[in-house]
Amino acid sequence: MTWKKLLLPLVLLSASLTSTIAADRPNILFIFTDDHAPHAIGAYQGWLQSVNPTPNIDNLAAQGMLFENSFCTNSICGPSRAVIQTGKHSHKNGFMNNGNSFDWNQQTFPKLLQKAGYQTAIYGKSHLKGKPQGYDDWAVLPGQGLYYNPDFITPDGKKRVEGYCTDVVTDMAIEWLKEGREGEKPFMLMVQHKAPHRNWMPALRHLHLYDDVEIPEPATLFDKWEDNSPAARYQELEIDGHMDINYDLFLDLTADFDQPATQKRQDRSAWNNMKRMSEEQMKTWRDAYGPKDEAFHKANLTGKDLVRWKYQRYAKNYLRCVKGVDESVGTLMDTLKDLGLDENTVVIYSSDQGFYIGDHGWYDKRWMYEESLKMPLIVKWPGVASPGAKNTDLVQNLDYASTFLDMAGAEIPEDIQGKSIVPLLKGEGDGNFRDAIYYHYYEYPSVHMVPRHYGIRTDRYKLMHFYQFDEWEFYDLQEDPDELTNMYHAADQDLIAEMKKKLEDIRKHYDDDSDVTPFPMEKQKEFWPNDR
Ligand code: SGN
Ligand code: CA
């Protein structure tokens, strides 16, 4: 027997040990986007499915588990990300609305993963302000970031990178996977895209995508919110009344960006985005939108026809941004394969909250209604999560920190409020993962004017309290999935009492004693004059 043959069993043993260790401590690739509603993902089979918006994300779902009842705790950007970092509700991690700054000195899951021997990195949108902690490498967009030729803040200072934001972030992640890793150390990599956030600016290669397609309309495009609490009538996120035809839909790109020609505008970020483009990029844009603008001016649309036109332009740009994201997912998956990492890397796709794509006549998010409460969550974990599986447990972004720690075999600290979904991924759930989810939104008065509210959702019912105005809404989601009939007064009052009790209990459970005192009546009237 040669010495090689003698050594073979040892070599095999060590190879199998390595693979057991690797399976126990998989790499984690967390792809996280901004404002990507589940119904704009083919695999979720929503009403946009016929457009086939996301073949690569659908492919991920075919290889992993898709969570149908995945929700945020507070439907807005920074807060959602802070919940993910900490595994704690907003009132515990201190980041209740976008105006806050995240306290990076607190416990976060990337820091705990580092302690557990993981190498960590984040590229793209952070929206938590301050320098990220808990990452071995990072490059983040300042604030909302820009779509074209964006700036990044890095450990070495600010730098501008030419290109389209989604592509640039993908390239950074790939470069790190190829060049930045330390030997065989397991990693956790966060790829956080700005897209498809407002102001919905697609990559140049996608400007003509869907040109010849009529995007289906949501059933509730012309909702008049007759049955809701007045909150739904006094918001500022209507396609009809609030979406700006120049600012949001790029009509007449020849308008002077510094002095936009029409209407009051709360936010100048769209102009900042457009000013950022090179002359060549701008020319491509003008060539793409110019003929469409001309046709629009000739058509002289009004009323519902105008809303329909705005909806088409908006939905197309939104889905074009989604296309960029979907291509990024495909490229990242291919890269993992090329690097031989695909079998031992958990890939997660999610977005900070859902979004209105014309649903209820709206854009944006913030509400506890289904379209913005839901978050996409798809997890591919080779050898663990059954390919093509669908899960209906009530899960939240609150659970991600525990889940990532659990995947890594790290200890989950007691003060984390979320629960690991690893048992669900392993197919070991008993259907009772969670009885109800808790929600609390805090940003009012603010852009889009959605009042503060908290609420509870079970697998069937939803109860919400717009407490600044002391208004309640209750829906039976089984009978009324679009939440068109507020049953707060008409429902069986024992059921309402039971749900209120549940809500109080869950507030205690999560220790939310933040101030929920209604505005004095005089102040309420200032916000809601009696004309709607
Ligand atoms: C910006 C957007 C708003 C959006 C907020 C919060 N305007 O102000 O439409 O609701 O961000 O979004 S924009 O014209 O500047 O895009 S979040 O995702 O960051 O919470
Ligand atoms: Ca967002």
Side-chain angles (χ1 to χ4, degrees):
M1 205 183 256
T2 65
W3 64 272
K4 268 192 188 161
K5 276 197 181 146
L6 269 173
L7 276 181
L8 190 63
L10 264 183
V11 171
L12 285 178
L13 178 69
S14 97
S16 87
L17 266 181
T18 324
S19 75
T20 324
I21 292 168
D24 284 347
R25 290 157 62 79
N27 304 309
I28 299 170
L29 170 59
F30 181 57
I31 308 172
F32 195 64
T33 53
D34 199 339
D35 295 356
H36 192 185
H39 55 293
I41 292 178
Y44 273 91
Q45 301 183 325
W47 51 265
L48 282 164
Q49 172 186 189
S50 61
V51 183
N52 187 24
T54 54
N56 289 302
I57 301 175
D58 301 351
N59 184 24
L60 186 73
Q63 298 174 59
M65 187 177 270
L66 177 146
F67 289 82
E68 285 178 350
N69 286 316
S70 149
F71 307 100
C72 58
T73 63
N74 181 356
S75 183
I76 186 156
C77 192
S80 174
R81 290 153 201 266
V83 167
I84 290 172
Q85 285 287 328
T86 58
K88 296 175 187 171
H89 274 280
S90 306
H91 63 279
K92 288 284 178 196
N93 67 47
F95 199 110
M96 338 266 274
N97 59 57
N98 277 342
N100 294 136
S101 293
F102 187 64
D103 173 10
W104 281 104
N105 292 320
Q106 67 187 299
Q107 170 182 287
T108 64
F109 89 84
K111 288 186 191 175
L112 295 168
L113 283 181
Q114 277 184 324
K115 273 198 196 140
Y118 271 63
Q119 194 189 352
T120 60
I122 182 170
Y123 300 104
K125 188 167 175 182
S126 145
H127 214 193
L128 292 174
K129 300 186 193 143
K131 285 191 180 170
Q133 288 183 28
Y135 299 97
D136 297 307
D137 193 37
W138 52 273
V140 295
L141 298 162
Q144 296 283 6
L146 296 169
Y147 270 115
Y148 283 90
N149 317 319
D151 288 330
F152 285 85
I153 306 169
T154 75
D156 308 322
K158 208 175 187 181
K159 63 172 183 185
R160 171 179 166 136
V161 186
E162 300 300 307
Y164 179 64
C165 192
T166 307
D167 301 340
V168 170
V169 169
T170 308
D171 290 347
M172 284 178 169
I174 290 175
E175 194 186 316
W176 184 81
L177 282 170
K178 288 186 175 162
E179 317 282 343
R181 295 190 47 222
E182 292 168 31
E184 294 298 299
K185 234 182 172 184
F187 67 81
M188 191 283 299
L189 168 62
M190 296 169 83
V191 182
Q192 309 217 140
H193 292 302
K194 169 184 174 64
H197 190 274
R198 194 180 181 197
N199 55 333
W200 315 296
M201 294 175 85
L204 296 179
R205 65 182 177 282
H206 295 141
L207 289 182
H208 287 285
L209 187 70
Y210 307 126
D211 266 3
D212 302 321
V213 176
E214 178 87 8
I215 308 290
E217 286 176 4
T220 56
L221 182 59
F222 294 103
D223 191 358
K224 285 284 164 254
W225 326 283
E226 275 158 1
D227 223 36
N228 305 66
S229 96
R233 289 185 289 281
Y234 289 110
Q235 37 59 38
E236 294 182 1
L237 36 79
E238 294 163 34
I239 291 186
D240 184 3
H242 307 108
M243 182 176 275
D244 190 283
I245 207 147
N246 304 102
Y247 174 92
D248 287 309
L249 300 174
F250 318 116
L251 186 81
D252 298 335
L253 274 166
T254 46
D256 179 344
F257 298 147
D258 288 319
Q259 291 178 341
T262 59
Q263 297 185 28
K264 82 161 192 196
R265 293 188 176 93
Q266 295 176 332
D267 209 320
R268 304 184 63 79
S269 86
W271 309 107
N272 294 337
N273 265 288
M274 281 186 249
K275 276 194 296 192
R276 190 73 174 195
M277 287 192 259
S278 68
E279 266 181 37
E280 210 185 322
Q281 289 165 338
M282 184 49 94
K283 182 177 179 310
T284 313
W285 266 65
R286 290 208 166 109
D287 290 348
Y289 288 92
K292 295 169 192 160
D293 292 354
E294 220 172 284
F296 169 78
H297 286 301
K298 271 198 196 126
N300 242 327
L301 305 173
T302 54
K304 283 193 172 176
D305 291 336
L306 179 56
V307 174
R308 292 205 149 100
W309 182 89
K310 286 172 89 176
Y311 166 72
Q312 286 296 322
R313 182 101 150 201
Y314 158 50
K316 283 181 187 184
N317 282 338
Y318 177 89
L319 292 173
R320 287 167 183 148
C321 291
V322 165
K323 183 55 94 181
V325 162
D326 188 67
E327 288 177 356
S328 165
V329 172
T331 311
L332 288 165
M333 303 279 283
D334 289 348
T335 307
L336 287 182
K337 207 170 209 155
D338 292 348
L339 297 175
L341 292 168
D342 56 327
E343 283 305 313
N344 193 31
T345 301
V346 187
V347 182
I348 298 108
Y349 185 84
S350 179
S351 192
D352 57 353
Q353 12 54 215
F355 212 67
Y356 298 92
I357 311 165
D359 317 76
H360 300 286
W362 293 333
Y363 61 101
D364 213 65
K365 53 263 180 173
R366 298 162 191 269
W367 303 100
M368 197 191 163
Y369 302 123
E370 291 293 273
E371 293 84 352
S372 50
L373 178 64
K374 286 200 166 169
M375 290 169 78
L377 178 61
I378 297 168
V379 184
K380 175 192 174 231
W381 191 353
V384 176
S386 300
K390 292 196 173 173
N391 178 288
T392 55
D393 286 295
L394 305 175
V395 302
Q396 289 194 281
N397 52 347
L398 188 67
D399 303 321
Y400 294 8
S402 320
T403 302
F404 296 153
L405 292 169
D406 200 4
M407 283 172 174
E411 205 175 304
I412 304 169
E414 287 270 308
D415 61 346
I416 286 192
Q417 295 183 312
K419 290 170 73 176
S420 166
I421 65 165
V422 166
L424 308 181
L425 292 164
K426 290 183 171 163
E428 291 168 1
D430 58 4
N432 290 317
F433 181 72
R434 182 180 275 127
D435 174 40
I437 60 146
Y438 179 58
Y439 182 89
H440 195 159
Y441 169 80
Y442 300 85
E443 199 178 292
Y444 185 87
S446 179
V447 58
H448 301 305
M449 296 300 276
V450 172
R452 290 182 175 209
H453 53 297
Y454 61 77
I456 187 169
R457 186 203 190 277
T458 66
D459 57 353
R460 175 159 182 190
Y461 301 115
K462 186 185 291 179
L463 179 70
M464 292 181 270
H465 189 199
F466 296 90
Y467 53 88
Q468 290 166 311
F469 300 90
D470 202 12
E471 288 278 346
W472 292 84
E473 290 187 34
F474 174 80
Y475 295 96
D476 180 343
L477 299 166
Q478 191 173 297
E479 298 296 318
D480 180 20
D482 288 334
E483 300 166 289
L484 294 171
T485 312
N486 173 15
M487 296 290 287
Y488 181 68
H489 294 292
D492 173 0
Q493 291 303 297
D494 288 344
L495 176 59
I496 299 288
E498 194 188 306
M499 286 295 289
K500 280 193 167 171
K501 166 86 174 54
K502 254 184 191 300
L503 179 55
E504 276 324 298
D505 289 349
I506 205 167
R507 283 172 58 76
K508 279 197 198 109
H509 173 74
Y510 288 122
D511 197 20
D512 184 2
D513 57 4
S514 49
D515 184 17
V516 294
T517 319
F519 287 151
M521 200 45 86
E522 275 319 296
K523 187 164 180 186
Q524 289 191 27
K525 282 185 188 150
E526 278 170 36
F527 285 108
W528 290 354
N530 240 346
D531 62 353
R532 218 172 175 185

